[in-house]
Amino acid sequence: MSKKNKIAFGKLNLLRNDKLENNKIRIGFVGGGPNSFIGYTHRLSARFDNRFEFLAGVFSRDKKKSVKFGESLGIDKERCYNDFKEMAEKEAKRDDGIEALGIMTPSGNHYQIAKEFIKNKVHIICDKPLTSTIKDAENLKKLITKHKIIFALTHNYSSYPMLREAKEIVQSGKIGKITLVNVEYPQGYTVAIKKNEEKEVLKWRLDKNQTGPSMILSEIGTHAYHLLRYVTGLEVEQLSAEVSSLSSEISVDDNAFILLRIKNNIRGSIWVSSAATGGENGLKIRVFGNKGGLEWFQDDANNLKFIELNSPTKIITRASNMVSKFSMESSRVAAGHPEGFFEAFANIYTEFADSINAYKKNKKHKNTFPTIDDGLKGIKFIFAAKNSSNNNSKWIKI
């Protein structure tokens, strides 16, 4: 990193760490109890930049378990609830009641939980996918619009610094007119599951009321779809999909191949799977234009491949003197050190806090995190892909 960038980076992180230290947003959580990785991720991310004060939560339907876990996190036992409606009602009556809520339950519950808090003007940060039905997603959007609520959806992959750099490169026109886009997300966690283990391992993922019509599209498909839209700024017009199970041992789909038609004759594809033996989190996006191309792979998250026409491939490294201001602002660690998943997740929490504070001061603020609109589009994508697959991969308009 150049001397100029080191100074800029240092100032950025000083501001990040000290900003609003005495003006923390009061936050509570529903879901993410003991042994929940996503719960741990949300709570850790909320603490990264000193923007939130963690005060209340529902961590189990069992009152004793909820209190025990909440107290282990430093929460007053009087604010450890076992019912989200009770939590919404009691927190609304407190002078120090929560101002924001993190939701990390299965998606079938998101709308019911969120609406209880939204009517009390509590801002929402929610795990993906948004809901399990289009109706719930549309109703949630109406509520958020009506009550002027700040809403963030944790498609955290879009917050990696080098994916934000990719977005900036695309917007700058450096790769020219986009012609092709590909996103892949191969995992292998369902490969070894046997029929008699399915309920124990997959749990709520077997319930269509929680996942919607497709387990694999709900689990990771919306991540891939959002990433494509985020980096390219493009909207898919039609899709043709094959969504299926490649295992005779499980009763839900574990693989999806999706072809995409995008305006201006742009073509794309998405492949998501939990049936890729040995796959861990092989998320990858490739964008090709008539002047160049980009490639980012989560296993090498701090580097971005940039290919210019008739030139050797360049590797752009995170926090180097080649990256944009947006990418630099999304970094916490100096160049040369690894930075990854938790930091990207924390970017959404910090930007969510920035928007809430701007809202409280009646200031205009541009949201850089995934919003309710991204969530609704993700749900429509799931239903369109499943509809296509059920009709012999017929092309379906989104």
Side-chain angles (χ1 to χ4, degrees), residues 150-167:
I150 306 296
F151 184 92
L153 193 66
T154 53
H155 282 305
N156 61 298
Y157 300 115
S158 62
S159 298
Y160 275 102
M162 297 317 292
L163 274 175
R164 291 182 161 184
E165 181 65 16
K167 181 180 180 69

Side-chain angles (χ1 to χ4, degrees), residues 166-177 290-292 306:
K167 181 180 180 69
E168 293 284 294
I169 289 173
V170 169
Q171 289 182 336
S172 72
K174 290 180 181 178
I175 67 168
K177 177 189 176 297
N290 60 3
K291 293 182 181 178
F306 175 40

Side-chain angles (χ1 to χ4, degrees), residues 184-249:
E184 298 178 1
Y185 202 164
Q187 298 180 344
Y189 69 92
T190 60
V191 172
I193 296 175
K194 302 298 180 185
K195 282 184 179 179
N196 61 355
E197 302 171 323
E198 186 183 41
K199 288 184 179 179
E200 180 184 353
V201 177
L202 295 180
K203 300 176 182 176
W204 56 267
R205 293 173 182 83
L206 301 175
D207 184 356
K208 290 189 181 298
N209 291 322
Q210 298 297 341
T211 64
S214 168
M215 189 277 285
I216 195 64
L217 293 176
S218 174
E219 188 81 345
I220 57 176
T222 52
H223 270 316
Y225 183 62
H226 176 260
L227 197 60
L228 181 147
R229 293 179 48 251
Y230 177 80
V231 172
T232 66
L234 299 170
E235 297 292 351
V236 176
E237 294 183 333
Q238 293 180 297
L239 59 76
S240 170
E242 181 188 86
V243 185
S244 60
S245 177
L246 301 182
S247 170
S248 59
E249 300 289 326

Side-chain angles (χ1 to χ4, degrees), residues 120-135:
N120 296 325
K121 296 289 186 180
V122 173
H123 304 289
I124 305 292
I125 183 165
C126 183
D127 207 45
K128 61 80 209 166
L130 182 64
T131 57
S132 61
T133 69
I134 293 175
K135 182 179 179 182

Side-chain angles (χ1 to χ4, degrees), residues 118-121 142-149 359:
I118 287 171
K119 64 187 181 185
N120 296 325
K121 296 289 186 180
K142 288 176 183 176
L143 274 178
I144 288 164
T145 303
K146 177 182 177 181
H147 293 278
K148 298 180 180 178
I149 294 298
Y359 174 88

